[in-house]
Amino acid sequence: MLRQIHSLPGLVAALLVAVLALTGAVLSVQPALERFAASSVVTGTISVAALAEAAQAQHAEIDKITKTASGSVVVSYFDGDKAGADLADPATGRVIGPHSPSATIRFITNLHRSLLLGTAGRIAAGLGALAMVVLTITGAMMLAARLGGWTALLQPIRGNARQRWHAQAGRLAIVGLLLTALTGCFLSLTSFELIPDGLAEPVATASGGGGARASVGSLAALQAVDLADLRELAFPYAADPTDTYRLTTAAGVTQIDAATGEALSFQPHSTARQLYETIYMLHTGQGLWPLGLLLGLSALAVPVFAITGAMIWWQRRRSLPRIADNRPASAADTIILVGSEGNSTWGFARTLHAALTQAGHKVHAAPMNALARAYPKAARMLILTATYGDGTAPASASGFLARLDRSALKLPVAVLGFGDRSFPQFCRFAEDVAAALAMRGWPALIEIDRIDRQSSQSFALWGDRLGTALGHGLTLAHVAERPKTMALELVKRVDYGAEVQAPTAILTFRLPGAAAGRALWKRLFPASLPPFEAGDLVGILPPGSTVPRYYSLASSAREGILEICVRKQPGGLCSGFLNDLPLGGRIDGFIKANPAFRPNASAAPLILIGAGAGIAPLMGFLRANRSHREAHLYWGGRSPASDFLYRDDLASCIADGRLSALNAVFSRVAEGGYVQDRLAKDAQQLAALLRRGAQIMVCGGRDMAGGVSQALDAILAPMGLSTATLKASGLYLEDVY
Ligand SMILES: Cc1cc2nc3c(=O)[nH]c(=O)nc-3n(C[C@H](O)[C@H](O)[C@H](O)COP(=O)(O)O)c2cc1C
């Protein structure tokens, strides 16, 4: 809900708010420029009487003298029929030159206030300010919720680059933007007279005695006022002998007899006017130039929000599968919530949705993260969720358990887990969800079930059980959708490990090669690999299967190649296919980002730990380590003679400083061991690196990862740390399989 409230006005008003913010940022510099251009007003050096006297000496008839909030003194006059305005030196009253406000600034001010569109533009600008209030408040609430509460607002921000930029800009600019937006709303309301600004307050109209006018410099009531207090001094109309001087200061308006210099009346400013002036100052920075600059800087964050916000929205929209005839949550009798990262679970949800709709139900499907506070018409909830990481939630369910904690819902529920039995935590997240629901008293519609490797048969059987519970038949005939893939051609392979029963290959792919006589436009604009970084995953569909297998990438798209490391698994469909693939052979693959497994941007050392084919992403990080960040690699194989993967590449990384230390351990040599043994041996050096804020990245099999985390926990314990605490702060990343 919060997200909808944030993104809807954000998208609609992005351009408008960006125009308001950019013009505001330009205008925000004005008070500071004027402040430094005007000679400083030195309190006590000149009275209003002396200033007026000096001005009068230079012009036949003065209309008024105005002092702007930034300290400039402007004398408006009539010389005969000709009206004009001078800028006067506040210290002496002498003319500095004609007052000529910049046409550009006037244009930008009009653009800011009314978009050059008159009343319609002023309404739009007001709505823009309102949108900005909504966006800043909902944005702050979302950020707080994401970081774990208001007290965690300064915690490091996770996520992809656009999400980090969006949130970081928000953190820096929020106070300035909220102030600008709230004061902008107020000013907009006063401009439409929906709130009084007090500027047109009635002034007491005392008349002067009508005696002969004294020189303005001799008037006692003006001599008593310092220039620092002046806002405006309006001169009496020459043709009316009873007209008075009208002196406006911060306190109010005084009428002064032009002959005697006596103060005839004093009218203090109304509260409305004082409030308006304070808010005007807080919005423009006029009279408070450092605030103006601060607001201007905050406003510069708005285009960053507009661009990154639109990108985040588009990305989210694109990744949300479409479901035909999806009913609103408020009208549905059956709610399907989906936990997915690679979208295949959405395919199952779509099949289930269609079957239930055909059976006469009103069905609403949504990501698990969108668990609502209430479903007024719902009689049941069906949760379909995958499991990721080491038994954790997929992306679209990452906030589900926290939401459930705050929820008072209780509906009959069925949980169906999607996973892969080769992971030790098979369907663990689905189990956690089912347990959490049971603990909160949600009745089970049917017991939890688990689907291995997207089996359509198991899904159909689950449909039978669900149908029985619902009291009508339910046929779930699911045909898995083939992910969109690209063809890749094997251009290089290096084979290792056959002698030590660990056949492993480093496979390098390119987009299919240049065929002779290719069309000219294809030669001019050659196809390029989609963007990916080392550590991202490539999903590969082995022939005859629609279920992808994922491999960590050892290269980035910039290198123009896609490189993986594959260990042949006994009976493995995909690893067997890849290990037998000849040069020139093709695969069907697609990229899946894995932003959670990337080195951080710090300059502190990197500790890379892996075993066997797990070296692939680590090798990619080292190749890309052009800044020569200190990097230590711990890697375990079986025999240096047979499966020392990337031996030459590692040597060249050492030679040019991209790798600081290589610690390779082999298990099938005399006095050999595993990578975790080597970590324990190097405890002191590792402790020193960790004290310097080193980041640890682990890639490889689950058993190895378990051993590594045990060895590291032993090293971390004396420092009062653990792999769990490092994990929480992003300093311990794992990519395990
Ligand atoms: C990086 C990665 C980690 C995974 N971890 C687990 C796991 O711990 N337990 C499990 O049962 N399945 C695991 N799986 C398998 C997925 O849960 C399974 O393929 C699921 O069907 C994917 O659904 P989705 O495409 O909707 O995200 C993992 C898959 C990947 C790619």
Side-chain angles (χ1 to χ4, degrees):
M1 185 65 176
L2 203 57
R3 181 176 291 155
Q4 271 101 314
I5 300 177
H6 186 75
S7 42
L8 205 70
L11 286 166
V12 174
L15 189 63
L16 169 65
V17 174
V19 170
L20 294 180
L22 284 178
T23 48
V26 175
L27 296 174
S28 72
V29 187
Q30 279 311 103
L33 291 180
E34 281 178 22
R35 176 70 182 77
F36 289 109
S39 343
S40 57
V41 183
V42 187
T43 311
T45 51
I46 185 168
S47 70
V48 173
L51 173 73
E53 183 78 29
Q56 189 135 56
Q58 298 176 46
H59 294 288
E61 189 182 343
I62 305 284
D63 177 31
K64 61 182 177 186
I65 301 176
T66 314
K67 199 185 91 218
T68 67
S70 21
S72 311
V73 173
V74 179
V75 178
S76 308
Y77 61 82
F78 293 105
D79 279 341
D81 283 350
K82 197 173 127 266
D86 280 341
L87 214 53
D89 182 344
T92 61
R94 259 202 305 274
V95 170
I96 301 171
H99 174 56
S100 50
S102 147
T104 316
I105 292 300
R106 230 182 0 238
F107 173 81
I108 295 175
T109 308
N110 282 339
L111 189 57
H112 185 74
R113 286 185 180 162
S114 68
L115 310 167
L116 312 178
L117 294 173
T119 306
R122 284 195 299 137
I123 295 174
L127 291 175
L130 182 65
M132 202 134 113
V133 172
V134 175
L135 290 169
T136 38
I137 293 175
T138 50
M141 288 166 75
M142 282 164 69
L143 189 61
R146 183 160 162 198
L147 292 176
W150 292 102
T151 50
L153 265 186
L154 297 180
Q155 295 287 320
I157 296 167
R158 305 263 192 92
N160 59 34
R162 19 180 203 277
Q163 288 168 328
R164 286 200 311 272
W165 273 88
H166 197 76
Q168 199 65 272
R171 264 205 310 217
L172 291 174
I174 183 153
V175 176
L177 287 180
L178 192 58
L179 183 62
T180 314
L182 285 169
T183 50
C185 282
F186 179 91
L187 294 179
S188 196
L189 290 173
T190 57
S191 84
F192 288 103
E193 295 177 13
L194 294 168
I195 295 182
D197 58 15
L199 292 180
E201 56 201 357
V203 171
T205 46
S207 292
R213 284 191 181 161
S215 94
V216 64
S218 68
L219 301 180
L222 292 180
Q223 282 173 343
V225 180
D226 194 275
L227 177 56
D229 298 328
L230 175 72
R231 291 274 183 84
E232 186 183 282
L233 176 64
F235 280 55
Y237 185 44
D240 178 358
T242 62
D243 200 10
T244 60
Y245 285 93
R246 260 214 300 275
L247 172 72
T248 309
T249 61
V253 183
T254 311
Q255 280 189 289
I256 297 164
D257 191 302
T260 63
E262 183 193 343
L264 300 173
S265 71
F266 173 71
Q267 164 114 5
H269 290 316
S270 63
T271 316
R273 178 171 178 150
Q274 281 170 358
L275 180 68
Y276 174 82
E277 285 181 354
T278 307
I279 287 182
Y280 188 81
M281 179 178 74
L282 291 177
H283 187 78
T284 60
Q286 283 188 28
L288 209 59
W289 63 267
L291 175 72
L293 291 183
L294 221 80
L295 296 183
L297 280 177
S298 309
L300 288 181
V302 172
V304 179
F305 288 140
I307 294 167
T308 52
M311 285 165 80
I312 292 168
W313 172 83
W314 177 242
Q315 182 67 29
R316 187 166 295 129
R317 229 189 114 71
R318 249 186 15 169
S319 63
L320 256 194
R322 299 197 168 281
I323 290 199
D325 204 13
N326 200 18
R327 295 303 186 96
S330 54
D333 60 58
T334 304
I335 311 294
I336 301 176
L337 292 186
V338 182
S340 171
E341 192 149 323
N343 282 349
S344 66
T345 308
W346 276 105
F348 288 90
R350 199 180 294 128
T351 305
L352 175 62
H353 191 288
L356 287 168
T357 304
Q358 208 180 13
H361 292 283
K362 295 189 177 97
V363 191
H364 171 76
M368 285 172 77
N369 281 341
L371 175 73
R373 275 181 205 284
Y375 296 100
K377 303 256 169 69
R380 66 197 67 85
M381 182 177 283
L382 310 172
I383 297 181
L384 275 52
T385 182
T387 293
Y388 272 81
D390 194 10
T392 51
S396 78
S398 54
F400 177 80
L401 289 174
R403 269 172 178 259
L404 188 65
D405 265 342
R406 298 191 296 269
S407 162
L409 282 169
K410 213 173 276 186
L411 286 169
V413 64
V415 178
L416 180 61
F418 288 81
D420 185 330
R421 273 196 197 280
S422 63
F423 288 90
Q425 305 285 0
F426 175 55
C427 290
R428 173 62 190 269
F429 180 66
E431 285 168 0
D432 289 349
V433 167
L437 292 167
M439 211 180 74
R440 281 165 187 74
W442 290 49
L445 194 60
I446 52 174
E447 284 308 305
I448 180 174
D449 217 336
R450 297 158 199 79
I451 305 260
D452 184 25
R453 281 174 244 200
Q454 298 161 28
S455 157
S456 297
Q457 294 90 318
S458 309
F459 186 57
L461 287 175
W462 179 77
D464 290 344
R465 289 178 55 211
L466 181 64
T468 310
L470 295 178
H472 56 70
L474 195 63
T475 307
L476 297 181
H478 180 67
V479 183
E481 218 176 273
R482 228 183 111 88
K484 252 194 204 152
T485 57
M486 60 189 159
L488 292 161
E489 183 177 309
L490 185 65
V491 292
K492 185 177 166 199
R493 62 173 302 147
V494 187
D495 291 274
Y496 297 85
E499 301 81 358
V500 286
Q501 297 74 49
T504 307
I506 297 175
L507 304 174
T508 310
F509 297 89
R510 279 186 193 280
L511 288 171
R518 215 160 47 135
L520 177 66
W521 70 271
K522 275 200 175 167
R523 266 187 271 167
L524 289 174
F525 302 103
S528 57
L529 288 165
F532 61 84
E533 297 290 332
D536 283 345
L537 306 171
V538 56
I540 296 176
L541 294 178
S545 170
T546 49
V547 182
R549 314 293 196 272
Y550 292 97
Y551 298 92
S552 294
L553 288 161
S555 61
S556 72
R558 282 182 296 281
E559 298 162 57
I561 54 165
L562 185 146
E563 190 171 287
I564 54 173
C565 216
V566 182
R567 160 105 183 256
K568 186 174 180 181
Q569 305 294 337
L573 178 65
C574 195
S575 68
F577 159 69
L578 290 170
N579 267 271
D580 295 341
L581 196 68
L583 285 181
R586 292 196 179 182
I587 59 166
D588 284 326
F590 60 93
I591 300 295
K592 188 158 159 193
N594 187 16
F597 194 66
R598 301 228 169 111
N600 60 18
S602 139
L606 263 181
I607 303 173
L608 306 175
I609 305 171
I615 195 171
L618 311 181
M619 188 65 233
F621 300 146
L622 290 174
R623 278 202 195 118
N625 184 20
R626 276 176 291 276
S627 62
H628 294 185
R629 177 177 180 182
E630 187 177 335
H632 300 254
L633 176 65
Y634 287 85
W635 176 78
R638 291 192 173 180
S639 151
S642 178
D643 69 345
F644 198 160
L645 305 173
Y646 287 113
R647 184 201 291 247
D648 296 343
D649 299 64
L650 290 169
S652 57
C653 283
I654 291 259
D656 66 17
R658 281 175 294 171
L659 174 59
S660 319
L662 168 61
N663 306 286
V665 203
F666 296 92
S667 57
R668 299 213 181 160
V669 294
E671 296 184 25
Y674 296 103
V675 71
Q676 53 268 44
D677 305 327
R678 184 58 190 262
L679 294 174
K681 217 186 266 175
D682 281 2
Q684 262 183 5
Q685 292 95 305
L686 286 166
L689 293 174
L690 291 165
R691 269 193 289 271
R692 289 167 55 204
Q695 186 187 28
I696 304 172
M697 303 183 73
V698 183
C699 184
R702 217 154 281 273
D703 292 345
M704 182 266 326
V708 163
S709 103
Q710 247 179 13
L712 288 172
D713 272 329
I715 298 171
L716 286 162
M719 293 187 247
L721 294 170
S722 67
T723 49
T725 53
L726 293 188
K727 247 183 205 172
S729 55
L731 289 179
Y732 190 85
L733 306 181
E734 286 183 309
D735 184 10
V736 289
Y737 40 82

